[in-house]
Amino acid sequence: MNILIIGNGGREHALAWKLSQSNRVNHIYLAAGNGGTALETNMSNIAIDPLDFTALVAFTKEKSIDLTVVGPEAPLVKGIVDHFRSEGLLILGPTAAAAQLEGSKYFAKQFMQRYHIPTAQAVLFKNKQAALDYVETHTMPVVIKADGLASGKGVIVAQTLEVAITAIHQFMESTNAQLIIEDYLIGEEVSFIVMSDGETVLPLATSQDHKALLENDQGPNTGGLGAYSPATRVSPALYKKIMKTVILPTILGMKSEGEPYTGFLYAGLMISPNDDFHVLEFNCRLGDPETQAILFRLDSDLASLCLAAVQGDLYEYKAHWKDKIALSVVMASSGYPGEYQKGYRISGLQQSDNPHVKIFHANTLSHHSDVVTAGGRVLCITALGDTLESAQKAAYATVNNIDYTDAYYRRDIGYRSPLNTCVSTTETVSCPCKNQIDL
Ligand code: AMP
Ligand code: GLY
């Protein structure tokens, strides 16, 4: 098979790396890829904008691409899957209608309320004054969420009324704007990601992201500065409950509404100290950097799983996971998630002989014979270990060899997980919604 991957981040480098291990795959193209995928032998970057569907379709036909896999949310929400399908091309991802689970927080909240999926209490507003009146009477903190895609800037956790009022004014600036105001939840966040062909659910290994900029989960929210898999916070009992009360109702609900959900579905969950959980958000794609850790543990053929999800054959597959811990450390540019400089030469990128460590590139560019920084999240160093401690050691040993001006990374990735974690094996179940198999 020839495969086209849409996107240019660490997630897409990891997808390409895992897909390239399949003996069913000949060549992988990335639109537009990064400095890391440019260096891989069986991959080619192509300079096509992920939102230029016409050019992508033309390229797909010209190169006889057998399967397209979409990384980021923007093309999905804009309808890339609908566009490819109308041309008779195989593509993995949700349609624009199904991608509203991420594209519209308003849609997602109403959907969850309709299907009694546990989520924070929320009120939906189309009128600015009504939203302002509401926060005046609500105890702080509250969480204010803009409706559409906002590149990670659409959620404000307001500790004070002043912050809440400013957020409402900011989010309601544009015409037809709408927002939701929801109760503040406490607990530990985990990422629960599955693959679906519209009917069958194949859960991926659990993972936990580190969204805060600073160690100990302090400071502003980022796209994610590190991850590990499995998320030890998710016990086998909790895992079953999440499947039953979140994942299956979502896939069945979308199907019953005539918009079957195909592709990757990511539920961001807040788990309280007493094991209650609520959906914070749905994403219509894989997480970054969760994907890098998850795929490091995957023992099955990813190309076969992706093809099965596109062709509606997922009920015939299971995913097998290494009984090990994978951990990813993101190296960023100082200043991110705010302003930062780029274009700095990166040294120390030579891959060691250790097959259990991989330097995934995110925002890098090949520049003559150098690789240079090109964005906020630059690299994602991923390692596999028998214990969390050994995975941390291997990942940070590689991080310490890499150097560029303004490099920033958290030194505590994995800190929430107990060391020497025992890996649960419940994750290998494939769950056909049709049969509601024994969970
Ligand atoms: P979202 O894009 O909805 O996941 O929100 C981004 C981040 O805001 C989440 O990862 C949480 O850290 C935080 N957040 C969102 N909703 C809530 C909530 N109801 N209570 C507490 N924190 C939240
Ligand atoms: N790491 C969080 C996300 O991909 O949304």
Side-chain angles (χ1 to χ4, degrees), residues 88-375:
L89 299 168
L90 294 187
I91 182 164
L92 180 60
T95 59
Q100 282 185 93
L101 280 176
E102 176 168 359
S104 167
K105 288 190 188 288
Y106 210 91
F107 172 88
K109 188 60 85 174
Q110 287 184 322
F111 179 88
M112 287 189 270
Q113 288 172 344
R114 248 188 337 271
Y115 292 94
H116 309 291
I117 293 168
T119 184
Q121 285 286 345
V123 186
L124 315 172
F125 292 98
K126 293 187 181 206
N127 178 291
K128 181 158 98 176
Q129 192 54 48
L132 290 168
D133 292 345
Y134 177 82
V135 288
E136 291 279 356
T137 60
H138 199 286
T139 48
M140 296 296 128
V142 283
V143 183
I144 309 199
K145 301 187 172 187
D147 185 45
L149 290 185
S151 308
K153 297 197 170 72
V155 176
I156 304 243
V157 177
Q159 300 291 344
T160 65
L161 184 58
E162 289 67 38
V163 174
I165 290 172
T166 309
I168 292 170
H169 281 296
Q170 181 196 326
F171 289 166
M172 295 299 258
E173 241 166 37
S174 55
T175 42
N176 300 324
Q178 40 194 21
L179 54 72
I180 65 181
I181 302 182
E182 69 179 36
D183 290 353
Y184 177 74
L185 300 169
I186 52 158
E188 202 173 315
E189 285 181 50
V190 300
S191 307
F192 201 100
I193 307 176
V194 304
M195 195 179 206
S196 180
D197 60 7
E199 282 201 333
T200 296
V201 178
L202 185 106
L204 304 188
T206 57
S207 58
Q208 185 168 50
D209 188 12
H210 297 60
K211 290 194 176 161
L213 177 67
L214 306 174
E215 275 147 36
N216 227 7
D217 287 329
Q218 302 296 309
N221 222 28
T222 71
L225 284 187
Y228 65 94
S229 171
T232 38
R233 183 67 187 79
V234 182
S235 63
L238 208 48
Y239 179 89
K240 288 179 188 174
K241 219 169 152 192
I242 293 167
M243 284 296 292
K244 267 193 175 165
T245 62
V246 175
I247 303 298
L248 296 182
T250 303
I251 299 299
L252 288 171
M254 291 302 292
K255 189 179 169 217
S256 72
E257 295 193 6
E259 300 294 351
Y261 192 97
T262 49
F264 296 103
L265 176 69
Y266 169 143
L269 302 167
M270 183 73 92
I271 303 183
S272 76
N274 64 359
D275 270 11
D276 279 343
F277 55 84
H278 294 89
V279 177
L280 293 176
E281 62 167 341
F282 280 122
N283 292 319
C284 61
R285 51 168 175 81
L286 287 162
D288 187 345
E290 291 96 322
T291 302
Q292 293 84 314
I294 291 171
L295 293 185
F296 237 59
R297 292 185 54 221
L298 181 63
D299 258 340
S300 308
D301 182 274
L302 182 61
S304 299
L305 296 181
C306 290
L307 202 57
V310 171
Q311 295 177 326
D313 298 334
L314 212 46
Y315 64 93
E316 292 184 351
Y317 286 82
K318 281 190 177 189
H320 298 281
W321 306 97
K322 290 185 175 63
D323 256 6
K324 292 185 186 290
I325 313 279
L327 181 125
S328 297
V329 179
V330 170
M331 296 186 73
S333 301
S334 262
Y336 169 81
E339 300 286 307
Y340 51 81
Q341 301 294 315
K342 47 192 186 183
Y344 296 122
R345 182 180 170 274
I346 308 172
S347 66
L349 286 175
Q350 305 74 12
Q351 194 68 52
S352 75
D353 294 338
N354 184 350
H356 300 312
V357 182
K358 173 83 185 166
I359 301 169
F360 291 118
H361 289 228
N363 278 293
T364 67
L365 281 178
S366 289
H367 185 67
H368 304 303
S369 57
D370 289 337
V371 175
V372 300
T373 65

Side-chain angles (χ1 to χ4, degrees), residues 11 20 29 35 40 60 67 82 89 97 104 114 157-158 205 219 224 242 255 320 342 347 365 389 403 408 416:
R11 167 185 51 209
S20 73
Y29 297 91
E40 305 272 5
T60 302
L67 173 67
D82 312 67
L89 299 168
S104 167
R114 248 188 337 271
V157 177
I242 293 167
K255 189 179 169 217
H320 298 281
K342 47 192 186 183
S347 66
L365 281 178
E389 200 175 11
D403 194 32
Y408 170 76
R416 282 182 185 273

